Amino acid sequence: MDHAELTTEQVLKRDIPWETYMMTRLIKGTDLQLLRRYDNKAESYRVQLLDDDGVAYIRVFVNILRDIFKEEIVEYVLALIDEMLTANPKRARLFHDKCLANEDTYDPFIRVLWKGNWFIQEKSCKILALVVSGKPKNHESILANGGASNSNGKLTAIDNMLKGLVEWLCLQLKKPSHPSRAVPSAVSCLAVLLKEPVVRSSFVQADGIKLLIPLISPASSQQSIQLLYETCLCIWLLSFYEPAIEYLATSRTLPRLVEVVRSSTKEKVVLVVVLNFRNLLSKVTFGAQMVDLGLPQTVQNLKTQAWSDEDLLEALDQLEEGLKDNIKKLSSFEKFKQEVLLGHLDWSPMHKDLIFWRENINSFEENDSR
């Protein structure tokens, strides 16, 4: 079977001769004992083992990935970890246990990420994203400014891992390893990883934003809607990072987002796009751009629809108020008067807005209408 089409269930049906690897000293006796207790056992029993001795099993899995390079073994162990984390994502915290503080639990995943087949790449990417999301909030290696954590400026293990992972993700967006699954997998991982300031910094430095922008496009199928949602989620996460905002302001991001929100009926897509607008409204020239693109009318149209998400309804109200404030600033009568007197009148949407004329109609009668 093509490795790209393998499933976790198929891989986990394999019978792995662990004893053989102990005889060749690739697996320690204590690791073998743990594997015998865990492998091919009922899910309820495995849950108990992980609850009682989860860190020991993480160490076993990482040791195997570090010491054994046979493809079927790598696939099998990654499938075990994927199954474990999918069942309970909170188990990702086990990778950050203080008992593993002196071990590089990330390097084996990065190594197989670059050298493995698609099944191995996809699982490694997903696992690393989950492990990063399970990092304790006070983890020292990631600083708010996205820099290194020690005084010498050297990257820590997790910073190194994230840099390599971002590089791989950008490569997938440029030259996908799998024709249909590489881009969705990369974007899905980014939607998790971009919560980290250091990842935002690395992604912007790698010129990754321009790789996301073409993916902001109206979608119809379930798969394409999910990709669109996660892409817009990535943009939203980047909108909290100043260097990213500067790039977004000079790209086609805003017109694309407006096009998406006008055509989308999926509530979660509309919500994340509206959150983007709300976040960007007060930044650089976004307010003026939104008015020029007719977003105030679009927001009014959206508010007439029967949305059930209270967060979306609240975000629409806030966006509407923010846009009204921008229209007032951008379409003041004094600005209009100055443009007329100078012969530089720009009939922008704000000057065509009914609110502008309603509020300023009496001003035209000043000085005997001269």
Side-chain angles (χ1 to χ4, degrees):
M1 176 181 287
D2 184 350
H3 289 286
E5 307 308 322
L6 275 176
T7 65
T8 299
E9 293 74 21
Q10 290 169 328
V11 172
L12 290 177
K13 288 179 180 178
R14 295 173 182 170
D15 185 19
I16 305 297
W18 297 116
E19 288 80 1
T20 302
Y21 292 96
M22 192 194 76
M23 292 172 62
T24 56
R25 297 184 179 181
L26 290 172
I27 294 180
K28 298 176 183 178
T30 52
D31 288 355
L32 179 61
Q33 290 177 10
L34 287 167
L35 283 168
R36 282 173 172 165
R37 293 172 62 194
Y38 187 89
D39 202 18
N40 294 317
K41 298 298 189 296
E43 183 179 358
S44 58
Y45 184 68
R46 287 183 173 187
V47 168
Q48 191 59 52
L49 289 175
L50 291 170
D51 288 343
D52 294 342
D53 213 2
V55 176
Y57 279 100
I58 297 300
R59 181 181 279 114
V60 170
F61 297 149
V62 171
N63 285 343
I64 293 173
L65 290 175
R66 181 182 293 117
D67 299 331
I68 300 177
F69 302 134
K70 191 171 182 180
E71 196 171 68
E72 66 174 14
I73 301 299
V74 173
E75 291 172 348
Y76 190 84
V77 172
L78 290 174
L80 284 176
I81 300 172
D82 178 44
E83 180 188 56
M84 175 188 78
L85 295 178
T86 300
N88 185 358
K90 291 183 179 179
R91 290 179 184 142
R93 297 173 184 171
L94 295 170
F95 284 83
H96 305 282
D97 191 272
K98 60 183 179 181
C99 294
L100 300 173
N102 295 323
E103 299 185 33
D104 188 348
T105 55
Y106 315 108
D107 181 69
F109 296 99
I110 287 292
R111 177 176 53 79
V112 298
L113 180 70
W114 284 99
K115 297 181 179 180
N117 59 47
W118 174 248
F119 180 89
I120 291 173
Q121 291 179 51
E122 188 173 37
K123 294 302 178 191
S124 298
C125 174
K126 178 184 176 182
I127 290 167
L128 284 170
L130 288 171
V131 169
V132 172
S133 69
K135 175 183 57 65
K137 297 302 180 185
N138 62 348
H139 199 290
E140 294 180 355
S141 73
I142 294 185
L143 303 180
N145 63 3
S149 64
N150 54 45
S151 58
N152 294 326
K154 295 180 180 178
L155 294 175
T156 62
I158 192 168
D159 294 327
N160 244 338
M161 177 273 289
L162 289 172
K163 185 178 180 181
L165 183 52
V166 167
E167 186 180 346
W168 183 84
L169 291 168
C170 288
L171 183 62
Q172 293 306 307
L173 294 175
K174 291 177 187 175
K175 299 178 180 178
S177 297
H178 188 281
S180 62
R181 282 160 49 184
V183 170
S185 293
V187 172
S188 184
C189 284
L190 281 168
V192 174
L193 294 167
L194 284 169
K195 295 173 185 177
E196 304 292 343
V198 68
V199 175
R200 294 174 192 166
S201 175
S202 295
F203 189 68
V204 171
Q205 288 177 25
D207 210 12
I209 299 179
K210 74 175 183 181
L211 304 174
L212 288 178
I213 293 173
L215 302 178
I216 306 173
S217 180
S220 54
S221 70
Q222 190 60 43
Q223 184 180 11
S224 59
I225 288 173
Q226 183 62 22
L227 175 60
L228 173 61
Y229 167 73
E230 291 179 334
T231 301
C232 293
L233 182 57
C234 289
I235 299 297
W236 178 68
L237 290 168
L238 286 164
S239 72
F240 290 93
Y241 183 56
E242 204 62 40
I245 292 172
E246 293 173 9
Y247 186 95
L248 293 172
T250 58
S251 69
R252 290 279 302 164
T253 304
L254 197 59
R256 284 178 171 272
L257 287 172
V258 171
E259 183 183 6
V260 165
V261 84
R262 283 175 178 159
S263 62
S264 183
T265 57
K266 198 70 174 179
E267 204 157 14
K268 68 177 184 180
V269 173
V270 175
L271 172 60
V272 74
V273 174
V274 170
L275 291 178
N276 266 289
F277 292 146
R278 191 180 68 179
N279 234 25
L280 294 171
L281 183 59
S282 62
K283 310 292 185 181
V284 289
T285 61
F286 280 110
Q289 288 183 55
M290 289 179 192
V291 176
D292 284 343
L293 289 167
L295 191 58
Q297 183 60 52
T298 300
V299 170
Q300 289 181 25
N301 295 340
L302 288 171
K303 291 187 68 174
T304 64
Q305 300 182 40
W307 307 111
S308 60
D309 192 317
E310 291 184 3
D311 289 337
L312 173 55
L313 297 174
E314 181 183 359
L316 282 170
D317 286 340
Q318 292 172 344
L319 180 59
E320 183 178 46
E321 288 304 310
L323 286 168
K324 285 180 180 178
D325 289 342
N326 265 271
I327 289 173
K328 287 180 180 179
K329 292 175 184 176
L330 296 166
S331 61
S332 68
F333 183 74
E334 285 305 314
K335 180 180 178 182
F336 177 87
K337 179 179 177 181
Q338 194 66 23
E339 289 179 355
V340 171
L341 292 174
L342 292 173
H344 297 154
L345 179 62
D346 178 16
W347 285 99
S348 59
M350 65 209 49
H351 287 153
K352 299 176 184 178
D353 188 79
L354 290 176
I355 296 174
F356 169 76
W357 292 101
R358 192 181 300 122
E359 292 182 350
N360 294 288
I361 188 64
N362 292 331
S363 298
F364 287 89
E365 299 177 357
E366 294 177 359
N367 298 322
D368 296 324
S369 301
R370 284 182 292 178

